[in-house]
Amino acid sequence: MADDGSSATRQRWVDEARGFVSRDAFVSEEIFRLEIERIFGRCWVLLAHESEIPEPGDYVVRDLGGARVIVVRDGEIRALLNSCRHRGTELCRADQGNARHFVCPYHGWSYRRDGKLITTVYDRHMPQDAAFSELGLIPVPRVENYKGLIFGCWDADVVPLPRYLGDFAWYLDAFFARTPRGMEVLAPPHRWRTKANWKLGALNFIGDNQHVLTTHAGPTTLDPIRSAQAGLFTPGKDSVQLITDEGHGCTLTYLKEDLPEKYYQTHAPELEPLYAQTLKPDQLAMLRRLRVAVGNVFPNFSFIEATVGIGQKAVIIRQWQPVGATEMEILSWVLAERETTPEYKQHVLKAGFRLFGMAGVFEQDDLTIWASAIAASDNPVARRYPFGFQTALPYLDHPATDFAGPGRAWRPIETEVVQFEFMRRWERVMLSNR
Ligand code: FES
Ligand SMILES: [Fe+2]
């Protein structure tokens, strides 16, 4: 392994035999530039949830591979580069809003919501044969909606979104499309930055089950309720971590057995019939008594389904937007089923942000640690020594044989097998020349 990123396109970063991953993958700006091209330029990336832009003209501004794009409802949902074709000025300055047209604040070029240029204000000075049709806003070539989740991709030749999600759609359905009307985003996302590589977030959510009791020792020991819950979290024999062939994975944590019955009431009883209408029996069985699910869709769309009260579940979407090798922007949304009451939604929203928002109880712990890991790694000495994933090795070739859901699954959940598989997938995409 090299001690810097200078051979970014030639070397391997994952040492499969010894369970190491080069630190360069987490601090090198050269590798980061390659990620923007090969990962964020070629993979499907989450842009928004359709409930954020319900009306014609509603838009949100999001990041797609380092570029800001306007995600707008105009009949269909489109995504357009947020940059004027004249001198590049941003059309939308606000994170979200409603627009009839997009008018540039610099010289006034105006665009329709489908991106077409309407006027330059000085059309009379344009050449007779000026092709306005070629001066529209740059569209994201592929935008697709999977059950309310809007994804975009800069690569026009990417596989269709359902194929990209592959077997993991089975899990996404159970968390994001389990009632007839589906999920709803309850408030604009929290958005903040931290000095850490985006993959630390993805790894944490796809299967870092070793960090909970140390990183989150504060909230799990100081608060008497949480302290009691820490006991409940001792993984039951059903708990499992898994990953699909497409590189998407999650951990499903079930309660231990022999607890008082109320602890097993993880979903609202009134939602059960709606789930039964929408999901298959094996998906319903997966959700039953599930205490926490936490996962990641490759590359940077994470989610948590957490119990926030008896019969109350919050579904959180997390996104780790790459800003630089050592900086990311984090977005956090809270969702609930559209069919639930306003009071239920309000409770879930408050509890969701209290735990997983910008100032959330768990968030503060993780951010400090991730920034510290990057700060201590971003120097020539530390970069000679790779990160260790050794607890993956004894398990890699021994997945659980009795797990019914899609993907390769492992027990127990406190090994790094899924995190290591994520890094192997990341390396395959980075090395692929397609
Ligand atoms: S930069 Fe947009 S109109 Fe000139
Ligand atoms: Fe955490």
Side-chain angles (χ1 to χ4, degrees):
M1 244 166 250
D3 63 359
D4 61 36
S6 61
S7 52
T9 57
R10 280 175 280 123
Q11 72 169 349
R12 298 282 305 269
W13 302 282
V14 178
D15 180 338
E16 300 195 350
R18 296 191 302 150
F20 285 122
V21 177
S22 167
R23 290 197 204 210
D24 293 343
F26 296 85
V27 295
S28 156
E29 289 295 337
E30 188 177 357
I31 291 174
F32 175 74
R33 282 191 291 276
L34 197 65
E35 282 182 326
I36 290 295
E37 175 195 324
R38 298 209 167 159
I39 307 266
F40 293 97
R42 301 196 300 207
C43 293
W44 282 104
V45 174
L46 183 75
L47 291 174
H49 189 272
E50 66 179 3
S51 63
E52 294 181 273
I53 44 173
E55 302 298 331
D58 283 352
Y59 70 84
V60 290
V61 178
R62 295 282 149 77
D63 186 282
L64 183 57
R68 301 294 282 172
V69 297
I70 306 165
V71 185
V72 59
R73 187 182 289 269
D74 175 57
E76 64 188 280
I77 293 176
R78 306 167 186 279
L80 305 162
L81 189 68
N82 188 17
S83 178
C84 182
R85 291 295 301 278
H86 184 219
R87 291 289 186 281
T89 308
E90 285 177 299
L91 278 304
C92 296
R93 303 294 183 91
D95 277 0
Q96 63 180 101
N98 182 283
R100 187 176 292 270
H101 302 113
F102 298 116
V103 180
C104 180
Y106 198 176
H107 312 94
W109 283 30
S110 297
Y111 304 86
R112 290 195 332 209
R113 294 191 303 228
D114 63 5
K116 190 171 179 304
L117 178 64
I118 304 168
T119 176
T120 67
V121 183
Y122 297 98
D123 295 351
R124 63 189 181 280
H125 300 309
M126 293 286 272
Q128 285 290 325
D129 57 351
F132 274 41
S133 62
E134 290 169 16
L135 294 173
L137 296 178
I138 307 296
V140 176
R142 297 285 297 279
V143 176
E144 291 186 22
N145 181 341
Y146 186 77
K147 302 194 178 179
L149 299 163
I150 314 293
F151 291 76
C153 183
W154 285 119
D155 180 358
D157 298 323
V158 69
V159 297
L161 180 60
R163 202 168 123 208
Y164 179 85
L165 297 175
D167 285 346
F168 203 72
W170 188 90
Y171 299 98
L172 289 179
D173 290 352
F175 299 121
F176 293 100
R178 58 196 180 190
T179 59
R181 293 177 56 210
M183 303 297 276
E184 170 186 345
V185 165
L186 301 178
H190 281 190
R191 181 159 74 86
W192 67 102
R193 287 188 174 202
T194 190
K195 293 279 184 192
N197 183 276
W198 67 273
K199 292 190 291 301
L200 288 186
L203 284 169
N204 188 278
F205 274 58
I206 203 169
D208 191 332
N209 303 310
Q210 296 182 345
H211 87 289
V212 179
L213 291 180
T214 42
T215 301
H216 303 299
T220 49
T221 54
L222 287 180
D223 179 315
I225 299 165
R226 296 234 145 262
S227 171
Q229 286 191 345
L232 310 183
F233 275 114
T234 306
K237 65 177 166 49
D238 300 325
S239 297
V240 74
Q241 55 176 325
L242 62 95
I243 192 163
T244 65
D245 290 346
E246 299 79 17
H248 319 310
C250 63
T251 298
L252 307 173
T253 306
Y254 292 88
L255 293 171
K256 63 185 179 185
E257 292 166 52
D258 306 325
L259 291 169
E261 186 56 32
K262 64 175 183 178
Y263 288 114
Y264 298 115
Q265 193 191 322
T266 50
H267 293 94
E270 58 272 25
L271 289 174
E272 299 269 337
L274 299 177
Y275 293 173
Q277 277 178 40
T278 320
L279 298 177
K280 300 191 193 81
D282 52 356
Q283 289 168 310
L284 278 175
M286 185 270 287
L287 286 181
R288 199 164 295 130
R289 296 188 168 190
L290 177 65
R291 187 71 183 183
V292 184
V294 54
N296 187 71
V297 173
F298 192 90
N300 67 334
F301 156 26
S302 288
F303 64 90
I304 320 168
E305 193 222 42
T307 305
V308 293
I310 293 174
Q312 291 176 323
K313 283 272 189 174
V315 175
I316 315 288
I317 293 179
R318 256 314 162 72
Q319 198 167 30
W320 322 103
Q321 298 285 10
V323 174
T326 59
E327 184 169 9
M328 67 171 144
E329 184 164 285
I330 302 171
L331 278 82
S332 187
W333 296 254
V334 182
L335 299 88
E337 292 82 354
R338 286 183 202 256
E339 291 90 342
T340 52
T341 63
E343 295 73 35
Y344 180 97
K345 287 174 187 165
Q346 197 56 30
H347 177 85
V348 166
L349 176 63
K350 277 190 192 158
F353 277 147
R354 193 164 60 231
L355 293 174
F356 301 107
M358 179 168 33
V361 171
F362 288 97
E363 197 50 39
Q364 295 301 307
D365 296 338
D366 287 314
L367 285 196
T368 309
I369 294 276
W370 297 345
S372 142
I374 294 303
S377 296
D378 192 11
N379 63 75
V381 175
R383 282 172 69 166
R384 286 187 212 127
Y385 300 92
F387 286 162
F389 288 71
Q390 277 73 31
T391 61
L393 297 185
Y395 295 89
L396 272 179
D397 297 330
H398 304 286
T401 51
D402 61 339
F403 178 68
R408 278 170 306 140
W410 287 269
R411 298 189 186 94
I413 60 171
E414 302 87 357
T415 77
E416 296 161 293
V417 63
V418 165
Q419 292 185 72
F420 198 53
E421 288 287 275
F422 173 93
M423 291 310 307
R424 292 168 82 187
R425 157 83 182 182
W426 171 86
E427 186 180 70
R428 280 198 299 280
V429 178
M430 288 287 279
L431 293 174
S432 145
N433 280 318
R434 183 207 64 77

